[in-house]
Amino acid sequence: MRRPEEVHRPGRRRRRGALGAPFAVLATVGALLAGCAPDQGREVTADVEAVPVTAGQARTVADSLWAFTADLHRALVDRDPQANAVVSPVPVAAGLTQAWSGAAGATREQLGRVLHLDEGDEAAMAAAARTLPQRSGARADDETGREGEVTVMTPSSLWAQRATTFGEPWLEGLAETWDTGVRVTDFRSDPEAARRTINEWMAEASADYLDPLLDRGSLDQFTRFLATSGAVLRAPWSDPFDRRDTRLADFERLDGTLVTVPLMRRVEDTDARTASGDGWTAVELPYLGEELHVTVVLPDEGRFGEIEASLDGPALEQLRAALRRTPVDVSVPQFAVTSQLRLDDALRTLGVVDAFDRGVADFADITADEALALSGVAHQTFLALDEEGTEASGSAPRTTTTSTTTTTSTTSTTGSTAAPSPTGEGSTTTAVATPPSTGPATPDPARTTVVVDRPFLVLVTDRATGIPLFYGRVVSPRG
């Protein structure tokens, strides 16, 4: 194989979807560190122009992404059922899809099945990954005059051993389909320096929201391929909560203990959408520009585990389709969750087995230098809500977030029960009829009243494509 050009691009921010390959470590990234050692973080890429992508292309893999999202979420919950957990499925799937594009035999079949991919779906998955960062930019509401900036960071990156000879067709596919390449560092000689390089690069790309991804000792001289990706969102609400309506209130955690949290309140006539089903109520609020929306799903008291388990991919899509504009009186706790997740064993549980075994993994299209296998899959996200939006106020993330770290191990996923049937009516549905005893005036009975004072699920979705940016659970807003 001819060795493609190695390009060092310090500080360059490319419009990317994700990079992927054996060891998909996932965390928000996008720019190469300036000032790093010559061989640390260099990008190997084919000299091929990236093809344009459209929202229509991305929309064709929405079903696959929701199915993968629900499967991965359940596998993580099985491991640590008491923890907060938020994942960004698109960069995770993007990295694994890039590995899938260089795989063959059972390795390829298992990855495709877990990702719910059909042959020919790679371009659509790349479109999904490359479309989300396009939601970044200035936004304004012509009616209210409200202005703000939306920032979506979801890139991923493959990392490989320096001096590896990569298959040209595979590299060309990354460049043409994903608008990216693979980065190289020296795991063999200095795995600790390689770890620092990856962490520093990730911190730079995520504006210091995601750092560090890799703990000391997580790499060794046998590491050959990893991929990093994740997500951070900063976006103002289309209509902010009034801070004067925020009050301290009790939040009941899964174990029945209470924690005091700031509970925000908003009475909304036009922007909110609600839906309800057997055992749950959902309310959706838009961010400025109405391209991205957050949906809070509140299971009925005592039914959190049941409803969470029932929400497979189709059920999540049905829930979203049932949402209708409704006058609403909604109270939601402030929260900030950083999830640092090791996903390799969760993926094994779902059926990605051969890819992690160097004795049987088949990634020969990536390189013929040596047998490759996934060393692991790591992922990091940051998601927070306050009166202004999702980190819209620009507060320092490391001093305000509640961080949860989950390292998954191989377990059996719980089987889905029948999905709740959404009604989509919303106008008379009440999730919690009685708000906490302190606070503003009694709710208007003509509105749907939603008081989120116990564990809930949260989704952030791109309206144009229907693809999920975040999905997770908040079982304790204060950790």
Side-chain angles (χ1 to χ4, degrees):
M1 301 178 183
R2 179 170 63 85
R3 190 185 308 282
E5 180 185 7
E6 294 187 358
V7 182
H8 189 203
R9 295 173 174 158
R12 177 181 177 187
R13 290 189 181 272
R14 301 172 49 132
R15 187 178 66 186
R16 1 176 134 251
L19 308 97
F23 188 96
V25 193
L26 302 124
T28 291
V29 266
L32 179 62
L33 266 189
C36 60
D39 291 313
Q40 301 286 25
R42 182 173 299 177
E43 185 180 59
V44 181
T45 184
D47 187 16
V48 177
E49 190 72 21
V51 298
V53 297
T54 66
Q57 287 176 287
R59 199 176 300 117
T60 63
V61 290
D63 291 351
S64 297
L65 280 166
W66 281 109
F68 173 65
T69 298
D71 292 346
L72 183 59
H73 178 82
R74 284 200 300 269
L76 292 171
V77 170
D78 282 349
R79 172 59 181 171
D80 195 347
Q82 298 297 318
N84 294 331
V86 176
V87 298
S88 183
V90 172
V92 177
L96 294 174
T97 301
Q98 291 171 1
W100 177 71
S101 72
T107 305
R108 181 178 176 86
E109 188 276 329
Q110 291 170 9
L111 281 167
R113 176 160 33 84
V114 169
L115 291 167
H116 299 268
L117 291 178
D118 295 324
E119 292 298 326
D121 278 350
E122 183 184 1
M125 187 65 77
R130 292 170 60 190
T131 294
L132 283 177
Q134 295 175 11
R135 301 296 178 251
S136 296
R139 297 292 183 270
D141 186 317
D142 293 337
E143 293 184 6
T144 65
R146 181 168 166 77
E147 298 180 348
E149 190 82 16
V150 173
T151 302
V152 180
M153 296 180 281
T154 57
S156 314
S157 180
L158 286 183
W159 294 81
Q161 174 61 36
R162 184 186 63 186
T164 296
T165 303
F166 300 102
E168 268 192 78
W170 181 69
L171 275 183
E172 289 172 356
L174 291 185
E176 181 178 20
T177 305
W178 299 89
D179 189 23
T180 196
V182 57
R183 298 190 183 278
V184 295
T185 188
D186 195 354
F187 300 112
R188 182 184 290 115
S189 298
D190 195 342
E192 181 57 21
R195 183 189 72 87
R196 290 195 300 268
T197 295
I198 295 169
N199 281 346
E200 290 167 359
W201 175 75
M202 181 188 69
E204 173 76 11
S206 65
D208 284 336
Y209 278 82
L210 300 178
D211 177 38
L213 173 66
L214 302 174
D215 294 331
R216 182 180 295 274
S218 58
L219 306 180
D220 60 30
Q221 66 269 32
F222 301 108
T223 302
R224 291 295 178 270
F225 268 94
L226 21 108
T228 58
S229 83
V232 168
L233 171 66
R234 300 185 67 194
W237 298 119
S238 63
D239 184 13
F241 288 75
D242 190 330
R243 292 184 183 275
R244 293 172 297 181
D245 291 333
T246 298
R247 66 193 188 281
L248 294 179
D250 286 340
F251 184 98
E252 184 176 355
R253 294 182 286 201
L254 287 177
D255 62 4
T257 59
L258 300 178
V259 61
T260 301
V261 299
L263 193 69
M264 308 179 293
R265 185 184 183 191
R266 177 169 154 190
V267 176
E268 181 58 58
D269 289 324
T270 59
D271 285 350
R273 302 199 304 163
T274 66
S276 64
D278 179 15
W280 58 268
T281 296
V283 59
E284 178 190 87
L285 297 173
Y287 292 109
L288 190 62
E290 299 201 7
E291 294 170 307
L292 300 173
H293 296 72
V294 63
T295 306
V296 171
V297 182
L298 181 66
D300 287 354
E301 205 162 348
R303 299 186 66 180
F304 180 83
E306 172 197 348
I307 298 303
E308 182 180 40
S310 73
L311 291 174
D312 58 10
L316 286 168
E317 291 192 277
Q318 291 167 20
L319 183 154
R320 290 188 57 255
L323 292 163
R324 298 291 183 269
R325 290 195 183 276
T326 312
V328 66
D329 183 342
V330 59
S331 297
V332 182
Q334 293 180 12
F335 70 87
V337 176
T338 297
S339 291
Q340 184 174 335
L341 303 165
R342 190 66 178 251
L343 302 178
D344 40 319
D345 286 339
L347 290 166
R348 285 190 181 98
T349 298
L350 296 176
V352 179
V353 178
D354 288 10
F356 292 98
D357 186 342
R358 188 169 294 184
V360 297
D362 188 349
F363 291 110
D365 287 349
I366 295 177
T367 183
D369 287 1
E370 60 181 320
L372 293 176
L374 292 172
S375 300
V377 178
H379 180 55
Q380 192 175 105
T381 61
F382 175 77
L383 182 65
L385 295 185
D386 63 17
E387 289 90 349
E388 294 298 317
T390 293
E391 268 307 312
S393 63
S395 55
R398 293 213 185 100
T399 59
T400 61
T401 60
T402 296
S403 177
T404 61
T405 302
T406 302
T407 303
T408 69
S409 63
T410 305
T411 57
S412 298
T413 56
T414 56
S416 295
T417 60
S421 174
T423 67
E425 301 298 330
S427 59
T428 59
T429 302
T430 299
V432 180
T434 305
S437 56
T438 61
T442 303
D444 182 347
R447 300 178 185 277
T448 296
T449 300
V450 183
V451 180
V452 183
D453 59 358
R454 56 180 180 273
F456 59 96
L457 303 167
V458 60
L459 304 75
V460 177
T461 309
D462 178 58
R463 174 64 61 82
T465 61
I467 59 179
L469 173 55
F470 290 101
Y471 179 57
R473 62 192 332 236
V474 179
V475 298
S476 179
R478 297 179 65 86

